Amino acid sequence: MSVLRRVIVLAAALTIPLVALPAANAAPGAADPQPAHSGDIPSQPASTNELIEAYQGAIERLRSFGMNPFLYPTASAFCVGGSTLGLAPALGVAMPGPWPKTTLAIPGLDLTAAKAGQTLFTFVPYGLGPDSANTSGMRVAWVNLGTGRSGIAEMGPLGDIVRAMIPPSVPAEIRPAAEQAIQQFFFAALPVGGVRAVPVDTGSGTVLAAVYGTVDNGGKSCFFLPTVGITAVA
């Protein structure tokens, strides 16, 4: 087996639980989506081809929402139950702005989480429980290869992104409905627990980034090794 094929198989083995991604998402109209559970992970050993197909399926699902997965996945050992070594797989994702691209217009709402010249970096783990009060720990280190600009940004919970998309001018009585509508869009593409994101003013050009850090999973600190990606920002 070639080195490249071995890398693909390893990546697939880490991310095969993502084939159960729809089970982790909110059902349409659900106000309180349930998190994914490690019990959803298939218990039967998968063949090499099945692993590769599962990994590619997870990647294509993210791409269908305009998300650019990083070059390879990451994982945290002894983080969840029901899998070998308690591995919790995860992907890094970049969404160059403006994102999301939609024709839907709602008066008073800017439905772009990443503006032009920005990149929305997102950390997407699988199998983690609902977020605790501690949502710190994940970071993205980035560099714009064209301009030389660089930095390190702290990532926060997805709720921060949702709230930032709703301007203060929106009346308080309709803010919950607006937040729920935006959350349903994100939950259609992403698991519930442990997702972290941050919009960064990277500027236009080719941006290289690494996402890494820790996520609290039910009182257990899960460390995720760096995953690296590259994306073009218009």
Side-chain angles (χ1 to χ4, degrees):
M1 184 182 295
S2 68
V3 174
L4 177 59
R5 187 172 178 81
R6 288 180 184 274
V7 171
I8 293 175
V9 171
L10 176 60
L14 290 176
T15 55
I16 189 171
L18 291 170
V19 297
L21 192 59
N25 300 334
D32 185 18
Q34 296 300 312
H37 296 285
S38 57
D40 295 328
I41 298 174
S43 58
Q44 296 298 320
S47 68
T48 297
N49 288 337
E50 288 173 335
L51 288 171
I52 294 175
E53 289 175 2
Y55 176 64
Q56 292 174 339
I59 294 297
E60 290 305 315
R61 178 173 177 79
L62 292 173
R63 285 176 176 162
S64 70
F65 283 88
M67 304 176 181
N68 299 332
F70 279 16
L71 299 175
Y72 57 87
T74 182
S76 176
F78 310 109
C79 182
V80 298
S83 66
T84 304
L85 296 179
L87 286 177
L91 294 170
V93 183
M95 292 89 95
W99 186 92
K101 294 178 173 63
T102 175
T103 57
L104 177 64
I106 300 178
L109 288 183
D110 181 357
L111 295 180
T112 54
K115 317 303 182 196
Q118 289 186 328
T119 305
L120 179 63
F121 294 106
T122 307
F123 170 73
V124 185
Y126 177 84
L128 274 60
D131 284 339
S132 66
N134 179 16
T135 56
S136 63
M138 290 302 300
R139 299 174 179 83
V140 56
W142 62 275
V143 58
N144 186 316
L145 300 179
T147 65
R149 292 179 58 189
S150 63
I152 298 177
E154 297 283 341
M155 306 180 82
L158 200 56
D160 289 352
I161 304 298
V162 172
R163 285 186 288 271
M165 293 173 68
I166 304 175
S169 58
V170 174
E173 58 270 20
I174 67 171
R175 290 186 70 87
E179 288 185 9
Q180 183 176 359
I182 297 173
Q183 284 175 345
Q184 287 177 348
F185 170 81
F186 280 107
F187 290 152
L190 304 173
V192 177
V195 175
R196 301 288 183 264
V198 63
V200 176
D201 293 321
T202 57
S204 300
T206 300
V207 177
L208 179 68
V211 169
Y212 61 95
T214 59
V215 174
D216 181 86
N217 183 34
K220 181 181 297 183
S221 181
C222 302
F223 176 73
F224 289 86
L225 295 168
T227 175
V228 176
I230 189 167
T231 190
V233 183

